[in-house]
Amino acid sequence: MNEVSHQRVKTNGIWLHIAEQGTGPLVLLLHGFPEIWYSWRHQITFLANHGYHVVAPDLRGYGDSDSPLSPTSYTVMHLVGDIIGLLDHFGEQQAFIVGHDWGAVIGWHLALFRPERVKGLINLSVPYFSRNPNAKFAESLIRTYGDGFYISQFQEPGRAERAFARYDYLTVIKKFLLITQTDNLIAPPGMEIIDYLRTLSRLPPWITEEELQVYADKFQESGFTGALNYYRVMDLNWELTAPWQGSKITVPVKFMVGKKDLGFEVSGVRQYVEGNIFRSLVPNLEIVILDGHHFLQQEKHQEVSEEILSFLSKFPAE
């Protein structure tokens, strides 16, 4: 088995850095915030060893991929376009897509816009929600949760960047990746979310200081603006996706979530995931709830890897 290799690929007018290993059916692993390809390090080798061609990009704005300057260059149209370009680069009509957090949002929209390019979809942490025709997404969240909500604070260009800059990059990464709280991520009045997040004095067993430093080093090079721009176009995404109002996700899907994920138990997310509306929007759906927090593919990497493989194994080899 070859080691993980790295290259930059031209797609949709930008260069994306990808990590790649293995041969066989193509599996794309899409990370979330604030991460890079490295979040899938366990799954890359595991799936490659089981006969898959595994590709994990740094999404636009992250790591060694390009970061367009304009926030409006980070809509779901751009993000899905990036992934279509990767499929075309590898000459593949279809691929398996695995997404976590913002990567899951991309996965849902890829399946929504171009279902013929998705062989199967595995998403972690973020379920598919039907577009509310009467309320823009970020606007409604701000109205519901107020200025202390992390998405509220990420809207204004520069605000979160200035707050993050009070800490070194490793501390910022630790504050996010090691979150253990299970309620919604809302700071008290007058406080920035980065100040509200705790810094753990002891690392959990699933990650090391050296692994966390990999993230810190990359964000020190790239900054956080590209990553934060995803949040700044949420309402533009709402406008752009109007043509798909009421559409369903028709591809086969496995959805995984940690029962200790942010807001899972308190925001009605569990009831939604286990209820009829989610299944009506995603008819070909399998749901797995694991005993973990938000960054499942690292915290519960063996379970997640095996759940991914069990889903992929259902599809006959071509």
Side-chain angles (χ1 to χ4, degrees):
M1 172 58 62
N2 294 329
E3 293 300 304
V4 176
S5 64
H6 296 265
Q7 61 169 310
R8 275 163 61 87
V9 173
K10 190 71 177 285
T11 169
N12 194 21
I14 64 169
W15 289 92
L16 287 189
H17 162 257
I18 63 167
E20 182 180 11
Q21 190 176 16
T23 57
L26 180 60
V27 182
L28 290 183
L29 307 177
L30 310 178
H31 68 79
F33 175 88
E35 301 175 87
I36 51 174
W37 72 270
Y38 189 69
S39 287
W40 299 107
R41 59 195 176 281
H42 304 291
Q43 287 76 32
I44 292 171
T45 300
F46 179 90
L47 294 172
N49 285 337
H50 283 86
Y52 291 92
H53 176 199
V54 189
V55 173
D58 287 337
L59 299 177
R60 69 163 59 203
Y62 283 90
D64 293 319
S65 292
D66 285 356
S67 296
L69 292 176
S70 172
T72 57
S73 294
Y74 292 81
T75 71
V76 288
M77 297 296 176
H78 294 85
L79 302 172
V80 169
D82 294 347
I83 304 308
I84 292 293
L86 281 184
L87 266 64
D88 292 345
H89 169 80
F90 289 110
E92 296 284 358
Q93 177 58 29
Q94 285 193 319
F96 294 108
I97 308 296
V98 185
H100 169 253
D101 188 79
W102 269 105
V105 175
I106 298 171
W108 291 125
H109 285 89
L110 178 60
L112 191 64
F113 301 158
R114 300 295 303 276
E116 79 282 4
R117 305 301 299 268
V118 181
K119 194 178 294 186
L121 174 64
I122 302 170
N123 270 343
L124 282 69
S125 297
V126 179
Y128 179 69
F129 294 102
S130 183
R131 178 183 178 277
N132 181 348
N134 302 312
K136 292 186 177 182
F137 191 58
E139 272 185 15
S140 62
L141 288 172
I142 294 166
R143 219 171 20 246
T144 303
Y145 297 114
D147 181 68
F149 190 48
Y150 75 103
I151 290 175
S152 307
Q153 296 193 1
F154 289 177
Q155 295 301 303
E156 178 194 329
R159 176 180 175 178
E161 290 94 326
R162 287 191 297 272
F164 290 8
R166 292 198 290 271
Y167 300 90
D168 63 79
Y169 285 89
L170 182 59
T171 300
V172 173
I173 291 301
K174 284 180 176 180
K175 279 173 171 275
F176 280 110
L177 261 58
L178 307 181
I179 285 175
T180 56
Q181 71 181 75
T182 55
D183 53 351
N184 283 315
L185 204 51
I186 303 173
M191 182 180 284
E192 295 297 308
I193 203 74
I194 196 69
D195 298 326
Y196 172 64
L197 290 172
R198 293 186 304 130
T199 307
L200 295 184
S201 56
R202 183 181 303 171
L203 296 182
W206 53 268
I207 199 163
T208 67
E209 191 84 11
E210 291 73 26
E211 288 171 324
L212 289 161
Q213 191 65 52
V214 172
Y215 293 92
D217 290 345
K218 283 303 172 190
F219 279 100
Q220 187 151 7
E221 294 172 14
S222 68
F224 288 100
T225 297
L228 291 163
N229 280 339
Y230 286 56
Y231 296 92
R232 292 168 182 159
V233 291
M234 280 179 153
D235 285 345
L236 180 55
N237 286 336
W238 179 87
E239 295 176 18
L240 293 172
T241 52
W244 290 270
Q245 181 67 46
S247 294
K248 296 185 178 185
I249 303 293
T250 56
V251 305
V253 176
K254 175 179 266 190
F255 178 70
M256 283 186 265
V257 64
K259 67 181 183 182
K260 299 171 187 170
D261 204 340
L262 291 156
F264 182 65
E265 294 286 4
V266 298
S267 300
V269 179
R270 178 190 273 275
Q271 290 87 336
Y272 174 77
V273 165
E274 294 181 333
N276 294 327
I277 297 175
F278 187 30
R279 289 188 180 278
S280 72
L281 293 169
V282 189
N284 193 349
L285 176 66
E286 178 185 352
I287 297 169
V288 177
I289 299 176
L290 297 174
D291 184 17
H293 297 84
H294 184 64
F295 298 95
L296 272 184
Q297 77 271 46
Q298 299 185 72
E299 181 187 5
K300 298 290 180 183
H301 62 85
Q302 190 64 36
E303 289 174 65
V304 168
S305 295
E306 289 169 359
E307 289 287 354
I308 293 171
L309 184 63
S310 75
F311 179 81
L312 302 182
S313 301
K314 295 177 182 177
F315 294 81
E318 294 179 353

